[in-house]
Amino acid sequence: MAKQPIFSPLISGEKIGCFAITEQGCGSDVRSLKLAASRDGSGYRLNGMKWNITNAPVADICMTFARLEEAGPNAISCFISETAAPGLTQSVPFDLMGNRGTPIGSLTFDNVALAADSLVGVEGQGLRVLYFGFLVERIFTGVSIVGCMQPVIDECLQYSLKREAFGRPISDNQYVQGHIVQAYTQLELLRSVVVRGLTALEKGQDCSTLASIIKMLASEAMHEACLNAMRIHGNYGYRRDFHFERLLRDSIGLFFAGGTSEIHKTVIWANLVADAQNRSKAKDNLRLDAYTGAGAAA
Ligand SMILES: Cc1cc2nc3c(=O)[nH]c(=O)nc-3n(C[C@H](O)[C@H](O)[C@H](O)COP(=O)(O)OP(=O)(O)OC[C@H]3O[C@@H](n4cnc5c(N)ncnc54)[C@H](O)[C@@H]3O)c2cc1C
């Protein structure tokens, strides 16, 4: 399948795409995915199921990851296909707590035949595609949360200046100010780190630590801002016809979508350790150079 005709309508918004990794048996541990790919003539067959996928019930195009054992043990490959492909079934939307604007559901692959050019990248190297996709997803989560948090803060500020209790605006209380200042501080931090992440991504630099920091900060900050927005708005914030309760429910989904904070901490930790080891190796090499004279020669 030539890629250009697929991506143009996705970019223009004519078609909806989904990015399907998660399965019933695996979420964080992506390497244990079970969707099975097998070679079939010059193309492939897919069998199995993807689970809890944003836009799965409505997507026209699906990018997915499957285990192609013929390419080697544990070889994961990436495929892109039309969801109208025979044998591919889209579920109805799952009944979830939030994120109801983007239906989430499953995709069942029953011997779905894909042409050879449905393969994205190289057979068995799907994790390279996936990890790059993760970087983009995590950094762009930060971009969208910057856009979501700003109006929440603006509304809290305006409401707190107008709403009176005990004969004065509630904004006169340092506890109330603190909620807004905290959210604003988080937003400014997020903005800065998002710019660094986007710059690194554009330059093709390694930005997996930054991407994890952005995803973690964005989801935690958005959740805290929504919770405190409800506190500031008192009983009005708790109403279902007011948007803070919806934003709060959606923000909980962010704890999982794009990887959990626990997993991002493990990524950041692994990168910190690797950096520390590389620095200490570089220092050892410097010391060795001094003894062997290599440093002097340079
Ligand atoms: C709103 C929403 C949208 C989503 N959209 C998509 C989508 O479009 N495509 C897609 O593929 N998936 C999607 N997902 C699924 C999402 O990626 C997974 O929920 C997420 O990766 C976590 O996997 P899991 O739910 O299976 O939890 P598990 O992996 O089972 O983890 C359960 C708990 O254990 C913790 N845990 C697991 N391993 C470790 C560890 N090593 N160290 C510390 N803690 C650990 C986790 O942090 C979590 O708290 C979406 C989820 C939600 C809620």
Side-chain angles (χ1 to χ4, degrees), residues 9 11 26 40 45 52 59 92 136 180 218 223 238 240 262-263 287 293:
I11 292 165
C26 86
D40 180 36
R45 293 261 170 193
N52 207 94
V92 295
V136 176
I180 298 172
H223 178 67
Y238 195 57
R240 296 212 74 162
E262 291 85 351
I263 293 300
R287 282 190 213 110

Side-chain angles (χ1 to χ4, degrees), residues 17-30 50-56 63 65 96 98-99 102-105 130 134 137-138 249-250 252-266:
C18 68
F19 192 64
I21 313 150
T22 304
E23 300 177 359
Q24 278 174 301
C26 86
S28 308
D29 181 11
V30 292
K50 292 292 175 183
W51 181 258
N52 207 94
I53 308 301
T54 300
N55 284 333
M63 193 161 178
F65 296 83
L96 302 178
N99 287 276
T102 47
I104 293 174
L130 179 59
F134 277 161
E137 180 187 36
R138 290 165 185 176
R249 285 186 286 110
D250 288 354
I252 292 174
L254 264 184
F255 286 156
F256 311 106
T260 66
S261 292
E262 291 85 351
I263 293 300
H264 289 300
K265 283 179 190 160
T266 67

Side-chain angles (χ1 to χ4, degrees), residues 47-76:
N47 280 289
M49 186 193 262
K50 292 292 175 183
W51 181 258
N52 207 94
I53 308 301
T54 300
N55 284 333
V58 293
D60 306 290
I61 308 282
C62 159
M63 193 161 178
T64 196
F65 296 83
R67 193 168 289 279
L68 181 68
E69 295 292 349
E70 290 147 306
N74 300 322
I76 290 171

Side-chain angles (χ1 to χ4, degrees), residues 78-222:
C78 177
F79 299 92
I80 193 159
S81 98
E82 304 264 358
T83 52
L88 205 168
T89 311
Q90 297 168 273
S91 75
V92 295
F94 290 175
D95 186 16
L96 302 178
M97 174 182 185
N99 287 276
R100 288 162 177 269
T102 47
I104 293 174
S106 65
L107 295 169
T108 306
F109 297 80
D110 183 9
N111 221 17
V112 174
L114 298 182
D117 60 3
S118 301
L119 179 74
V120 179
V122 178
E123 266 190 7
Q125 295 200 13
L127 287 179
R128 294 172 72 94
V129 181
L130 179 59
Y131 290 150
F132 180 73
F134 277 161
L135 294 182
V136 176
E137 180 187 36
R138 290 165 185 176
I139 292 171
F140 276 86
T141 298
V143 173
S144 61
I145 293 306
V146 165
C148 291
M149 273 183 79
Q150 184 70 65
V152 171
I153 294 168
D154 292 345
E155 276 186 72
C156 288
L157 186 61
Q158 290 305 324
Y159 184 82
S160 71
L161 291 168
K162 283 192 196 126
R163 175 75 178 180
E164 294 202 350
F166 303 100
R168 58 194 181 130
I170 58 169
S171 59
D172 279 6
N173 299 291
Q174 284 187 349
Y175 286 124
V176 174
Q177 294 167 9
H179 288 320
I180 298 172
V181 169
Q182 169 73 3
Y184 180 70
T185 305
Q186 303 269 57
L187 173 63
E188 285 299 302
L189 286 173
L190 182 60
R191 232 191 269 279
S192 307
V193 82
V194 160
V195 170
R196 283 180 59 202
L198 287 170
T199 308
L201 198 61
E202 200 173 23
K203 289 186 176 166
Q205 294 167 344
D206 174 19
C207 54
S208 91
T209 300
L210 267 179
S212 280
I213 291 173
I214 290 169
K215 168 60 192 28
M216 196 168 64
L217 180 61
S219 51
E220 304 290 342
M222 182 66 188

